[in-house]
Every structure is written in C-alpha cells, then in structure tokens.
Amino acid sequence: MASMTHSSLPLVFLCSLFYVIFSSFCDCKSVSSITIDSLRASLVKQEDFIVFSLIERARYPYNSFAYDPSFLGNQNCSFVELFVRESEAMEAKFGRYQNPEELPFFPDYKQPQLAPPHKFPNILHPPAASVNISRKIWDMYFNDFLPLFTKKSADGNYQQTVASDLICLQALSRRIHSGRFVAEIKFRDSPQNYTPAIQAKDSETLMKLLTFASVEEAVVKRVFKKAEIFGQNVNLGKNNVKGVESRYKVEPSVASKLYQEWVIPFTKQVEVDYLLRRLI
Amino acid sequence: MASMTHSSLPLVFLCSLFYVIFSSFCDCKSVSSITIDSLRASLVKQEDFIVFSLIERARYPYNSFAYDPSFLGNQNCSFVELFVRESEAMEAKFGRYQNPEELPFFPDYKQPQLAPPHKFPNILHPPAASVNISRKIWDMYFNDFLPLFTKKSADGNYQQTVASDLICLQALSRRIHSGRFVAEIKFRDSPQNYTPAIQAKDSETLMKLLTFASVEEAVVKRVFKKAEIFGQNVNLGKNNVKGVESRYKVEPSVASKLYQEWVIPFTKQVEVDYLLRRLI
C-alpha cells in the first residue's frame, strides 16, 4: 500500500485529527486551570442564581395541590414528582446530563439523542464521582425549606409553581454536588493531608479538615446581602409605583438560613463522602 | 316528587353550591380589583424576572448549534425550536395555559390533563383575547437581541442554554401580551376616548392615545437601574473572591435597549391590536 503524503490526506481525516488535537488541548487546559479559586468563583456566581430562583418561586403561593400524592388519583406520585420526572427525561434527551456538574433527581433516563457529544472537562475520580445526595436535597427542600418562604394559599398556577421548584432544586443540587469538585481539587493539592483519615474511614476528621468557619460565615453573610440587594423593590424615587410592596421578596434571613443549615453542611457531606471513595 | 328541605339536601350538592357561590364571589372580587395601578405593579415585578432571566442566559455563550436548523439533520426545525415545542406540550399537559396570561409559542396542544381546573379571573373581551404576536417576539429575541448579550463561543451546555432561552421568551411574552389586559382596563375606564378611533380603524390615533412618553422613559430608566443592581457582583469588601469579574453580568444599556426598542413598542402594538377588536 502506498504511503500517504500530507497533501493526499482526505479532508475529513484532517478535520478529525485537528478535532482530536484541539479538543485534547482544550481539556488539558480546562482541567489544569481548575483551581480552588476558580471553583469558589463559580460557587459565588451560583449563589446569585439560587437567590434569583427563590425570588421567582416566591411569586407563587405554596399551592399544596402540587405536593400531595393523593391528588393525582391513580398516579403513584405527586404532581411535582411527575413533572420533575417528565422534565428530566426530556432534558436528558436534549443532552443536559452530558455535563458532569448536572445530576438528575430520578436518574433512569436513556442516553442523550439530540445534542452533539461535547467533551466536558471531568476531573472527578470515577469511583467517587457517583456520590449523590439528591434524595436528601429533595426532602429538605419540600419538607423544611419551601414552607418558610411561600404564602399558605393557592392560585392555580400549578405548572409554573413546580417549574420554579425544579429550577430551585437543580440550582441547589448543582451547588451542593460541586462539593465533589472541591474535594477533588483539595485532595490533589495536598493528598498527604487527607490520606490517613480516608484510609481510617474517619469521617469526623475529614469533616474537620474541610471546615473553615470564617469562610462559611462569609458565605452566609454574602447570601444575606444578595437576598437584600436582589430582593429589593427598585424604584426611581419619584416614580414609586402604587401597589408594589416595600419589603423584600424573600426574607434575607431565610436565604442565609438555607445556606447555613443546609447548603453548606450538605456540600461538606458530599466532600466527605467523595473523599471516602477517593482511594478506591 | 316530594320537595327537598335544606336539611335533606345531599352533602355533595351543598358543597357544589358553596363552590359556585364562593368561586363566583372570588372572580367578581378579583376582576373588580384589577386596576391600571395593580396591572402596572405586576408589570414592575415582571421586569425583575426579565432581568434575572437575561443574567441567567448570559451565563452560557451563544452556542450557535442550538439555532441552526441544519444541525439536527432529518428534523425540520432547530434544536431550540424542538425543545420549546416539546417543553410547551409538556407544560400544557400540566395545565400552564389555563392561565390566560400565558400564551404558548406553538399553540397546537391538547387540553390540560393533570392539573385541576382553576377559575382564573379573565377580564378580556373574547374576540380580542386572541391577539398574539409570539412569532414577532421569537424573531426579535433570536435575530436581534440574543447576539447582543452572549459571547460568540460554545460550551456544550445546549439544553441548559435553550432552557434559559425559553424562560426569557416566556417572561417577554407574558410581559408583552399583558398589553391585552392594559388595553381592556383603559377601555373600560373611558370607552368614549377610544371608540371613535376603533370604529374608524385608526391605528395611528390609538397608538397616540396609548403613548405616555414620560411613563415609558421611567420604565426604561428603571430597567437600566435593575440591570445595574441585579447584575452587579456582590462582595463583602474584605471577602473579595479572586476570579469573579467586576463588570455587570448583562450590560444595563442592553437591558434598557430591550425595553426601549422592543418590549414597550411590542406591548403598545398588542394594545392597539386588542382595541381594534374590542367592539367586535
């Protein structure tokens, strides 16, 4: 067989070669550029969206119909669960879960069919990447958190209500499960700090190693400030509109409580669970 | 047949009677309490959510794959159109379009099957309620507006990108089509002001009657201010996080341009179109 010169290489092969070299370069660059600072910057941006999501959910009252499994009659789950299951199945078809940052609440979906494959940078250690506390997030959100910032009434906007719930849930899940990435970076930066406790399966010591009280305090304060800023009613002074209430759309103390009582502890639980599987 | 006394009325009938009386009372109260001030207050709240939606969409780059109909091969529409069609069909099943404020972009769906019926207050004049400029909003958003505030690159988050697009589109559509409610209230408040121009099919005069330059100017300024406030990077001063950019997440001038060039003119077009059908 005659050897091929560069000039005789088919265009499609050249394109594939370029794609492989280019995408590998991108991955190396992306992975190597992920630092604890860049991760923290991403978490800070996610806070904004979590606060926006709460404000949006607070536009609707509690709408209890959506959460009582008995309401749908012969269905085996609540209106909100059915909506989330169907939404996630559709989102999976459109490729949402190609991105390792996204975890579904009901992960029994087919592979994506419609979006082109994309090589997301994935730095996670495979046996630890499956850490998943979605069920716990779900229960916390509906049982403990939602009643704190919604009015006890109904307005018939059930679909809009559960769609807002799903946006809140997805934002919280992405934030909390980012603990996997945080734990991986911390472990890579100084494996010697974590290895003895991992080998001893010592969750308590790992939790201590991962706890920085001053950082956590700053996060809680910043979330409070964001809820104050994003949840205020913005007026031009002279143009005050009648009928717009003056108080915050979501109480800043409720937003900061979300972080203090659940988001931060859950994230640290994900970090500990991840590290416990880091040497498998 | 023996006449029934009150005490012998079956419970189910009593409950139905109570429901009819109560829901009618609620509707009367709701309809009579809709004023131009309460509508304006609702529009002001919607501004917040529109600005939040733009900020969320700006987290992702343009992702051109999503908008080119040729990319899906044997499908006849773009990735985003397919996603919006499937999302709306699902949302319709969960009852979204029972609320007359919500209009789908592709309205060929079955009746809602899962949500219980809810009697939304509907003050619209039936022949005029069908005013719908969804196609125009769709074209404006994708052709004119989206390129103004997204980076020209791709990150593979195609589903998340088009889901953000749908949230922006729905927020814009609800805001712009609220012009139907505004026009109805204005007409009811002083039909004599509008009737001659409606009878003469004089769009130009109607547009003049509906234009209040100082109010429009205030709205545009307020949207600019909201984009400044909601799109800032909130820090605690001493806790500045490395890697978080200092500029706005969406340029305030882009948000105010959206209102000045499209949202306000489109809303007024809906108002004129509605009034032209108000005496049918």
Side-chain angles (χ1 to χ4, degrees):
Chain A
M1 202 168 75
S3 65
M4 283 174 106
T5 62
H6 276 86
S7 60
S8 66
L9 284 170
L11 183 62
V12 66
F13 177 74
L14 273 174
C15 288
S16 307
L17 191 69
F18 175 75
Y19 174 78
V20 169
I21 295 168
F22 184 72
S23 60
S24 303
F25 169 74
C26 286
D27 291 344
C28 291
K29 189 171 174 293
S30 302
V31 171
S32 68
S33 68
I34 295 178
T35 63
I36 202 70
D37 276 337
S38 69
L39 264 174
R40 283 221 179 102
S42 161
L43 299 185
V44 168
K45 284 187 183 176
Q46 289 183 43
E47 279 166 18
D48 295 16
F49 185 52
I50 288 175
V51 174
F52 291 166
S53 306
L54 303 183
I55 293 170
E56 172 54 11
R57 175 59 184 85
R59 288 170 72 192
Y60 305 104
Y62 183 65
N63 274 328
S64 63
F65 158 79
Y67 310 110
D68 186 337
S70 67
F71 273 123
L72 284 186
N74 58 0
Q75 303 284 348
N76 290 324
C77 63
S78 63
F79 185 83
V80 68
E81 183 174 329
L82 197 64
F83 181 79
V84 171
R85 283 183 181 276
E86 294 204 12
S87 296
E88 287 190 339
M90 197 189 71
E91 290 169 351
K93 192 174 91 174
F94 283 83
R96 182 180 188 94
Y97 304 108
Q98 284 193 82
N99 184 337
E101 287 179 67
E102 307 279 4
L103 289 177
F105 283 85
F106 303 99
D108 44 357
Y109 311 120
K110 294 178 196 165
Q111 289 302 303
Q113 302 161 15
L114 290 168
H118 183 86
K119 222 166 156 35
F120 287 92
N122 194 351
I123 61 168
L124 300 180
H125 181 64
S130 61
V131 166
N132 188 326
I133 62 163
S134 296
R135 187 76 234 175
K136 196 170 170 174
I137 298 168
W138 178 279
D139 290 342
M140 172 278 288
Y141 178 79
F142 289 114
N143 300 338
D144 302 318
F145 186 60
L146 187 58
L148 298 183
F149 73 104
T150 45
K151 286 180 199 153
K152 281 178 191 160
S153 56
D155 70 354
N157 288 304
Y158 303 117
Q159 187 279 328
Q160 294 89 326
T161 296
V162 296
S164 289
D165 286 329
L166 179 55
I167 288 172
C168 290
L169 283 167
Q170 287 176 332
L172 289 169
S173 173
R174 194 162 44 238
R175 168 61 174 80
I176 290 165
H177 287 112
S178 68
R180 297 171 302 157
F181 296 88
V182 173
E184 177 63 25
I185 294 288
K186 285 181 177 172
F187 179 82
R188 287 191 192 190
D189 281 353
S190 47
Q192 70 284 2
N193 284 6
Y194 302 97
T195 300
I198 295 171
Q199 284 169 336
K201 296 181 182 174
D202 182 352
S203 303
E204 207 174 320
T205 298
L206 287 172
M207 189 60 90
K208 278 181 193 158
L209 287 169
L210 295 163
T211 299
F212 299 93
S214 62
V215 174
E216 292 176 14
E217 200 186 326
V219 170
V220 171
K221 276 187 189 166
R222 195 173 53 234
V223 170
F224 187 95
K225 195 172 167 187
K226 286 184 176 180
E228 278 185 323
I229 291 173
F230 302 152
Q232 68 183 297
N233 290 300
V234 176
N235 295 311
L236 294 174
K238 61 182 177 178
N239 185 50
N240 215 333
V241 175
K242 288 178 199 166
V244 176
E245 299 144 27
S246 61
R247 64 180 179 79
Y248 299 116
K249 292 174 200 105
V250 168
E251 278 302 316
S253 61
V254 169
S256 60
K257 181 187 171 85
L258 170 68
Y259 263 70
Q260 187 153 36
E261 294 206 6
W262 298 298
V263 171
I264 293 173
F266 282 19
T267 306
K268 287 200 294 182
Q269 185 193 323
V270 167
E271 290 180 48
V272 169
D273 292 352
Y274 183 92
L275 287 177
L276 288 173
R277 300 188 199 179
R278 185 56 184 76
L279 298 177
I280 294 171
Chain B
M1 202 169 77
S3 67
M4 284 175 106
T5 62
H6 275 87
S7 60
S8 67
L9 283 171
L11 183 63
V12 65
F13 178 73
L14 272 174
C15 288
S16 307
L17 191 68
F18 176 76
Y19 174 77
V20 169
I21 294 167
F22 184 73
S23 60
S24 302
F25 169 74
C26 287
D27 290 343
C28 289
K29 191 171 173 292
S30 303
V31 170
S32 67
S33 68
I34 296 178
T35 62
I36 202 70
D37 276 338
S38 69
L39 265 173
R40 284 221 178 103
S42 161
L43 299 184
V44 168
K45 284 187 182 176
Q46 289 183 41
E47 279 166 18
D48 295 15
F49 185 52
I50 288 174
V51 174
F52 292 166
S53 306
L54 303 182
I55 292 171
E56 171 54 12
R57 175 60 184 85
R59 288 171 71 191
Y60 305 104
Y62 183 66
N63 274 327
S64 64
F65 158 79
Y67 311 109
D68 186 337
S70 68
F71 273 124
L72 285 185
N74 59 0
Q75 302 285 347
N76 289 325
C77 63
S78 63
F79 185 83
V80 68
E81 183 175 329
L82 199 64
F83 180 79
V84 171
R85 283 182 181 276
E86 294 204 11
S87 297
E88 287 189 340
M90 198 189 70
E91 291 169 349
K93 193 174 90 173
F94 283 83
R96 183 181 188 92
Y97 303 109
Q98 284 193 82
N99 184 337
E101 287 179 67
E102 308 280 2
L103 289 178
F105 284 85
F106 303 99
D108 43 358
Y109 309 121
K110 293 178 197 166
Q111 289 303 302
Q113 300 160 16
L114 290 168
H118 183 89
K119 223 167 155 35
F120 288 92
N122 195 350
I123 60 169
L124 301 178
H125 181 64
S130 60
V131 166
N132 187 327
I133 62 164
S134 296
R135 187 76 234 173
K136 195 169 171 176
I137 297 169
W138 177 280
D139 290 342
M140 172 278 287
Y141 178 79
F142 289 113
N143 300 338
D144 302 318
F145 186 59
L146 188 57
L148 298 183
F149 73 103
T150 46
K151 288 180 197 153
K152 281 178 192 159
S153 55
D155 70 354
N157 288 304
Y158 304 118
Q159 186 277 329
Q160 294 90 324
T161 297
V162 296
S164 289
D165 286 329
L166 178 55
I167 288 172
C168 291
L169 283 168
Q170 287 177 332
L172 289 169
S173 173
R174 194 163 42 237
R175 168 61 174 78
I176 290 165
H177 287 112
S178 67
R180 297 171 302 156
F181 296 87
V182 173
E184 176 64 25
I185 295 287
K186 284 180 178 172
F187 180 82
R188 286 190 193 191
D189 280 353
S190 45
Q192 70 284 0
N193 283 7
Y194 301 97
T195 300
I198 295 171
Q199 284 169 336
K201 296 181 182 175
D202 182 351
S203 304
E204 207 173 321
T205 298
L206 286 172
M207 188 61 90
K208 278 182 193 159
L209 288 170
L210 295 164
T211 298
F212 299 92
S214 64
V215 173
E216 292 176 14
E217 199 185 325
V219 170
V220 171
K221 276 187 187 166
R222 195 172 54 233
V223 169
F224 186 96
K225 194 173 168 188
K226 286 183 176 181
E228 277 185 324
I229 291 173
F230 302 151
Q232 68 182 298
N233 290 301
V234 176
N235 294 312
L236 295 175
K238 59 183 179 179
N239 185 50
N240 216 332
V241 176
K242 288 177 198 167
V244 176
E245 298 143 29
S246 61
R247 63 179 179 79
Y248 299 115
K249 293 174 199 104
V250 168
E251 279 302 316
S253 61
V254 169
S256 60
K257 181 187 171 84
L258 169 68
Y259 263 71
Q260 187 152 38
E261 294 208 7
W262 298 298
V263 171
I264 292 173
F266 283 18
T267 306
K268 288 200 293 182
Q269 186 194 323
V270 166
E271 290 180 49
V272 169
D273 291 352
Y274 183 92
L275 287 177
L276 288 172
R277 299 188 200 178
R278 185 56 183 79
L279 298 177
I280 294 172

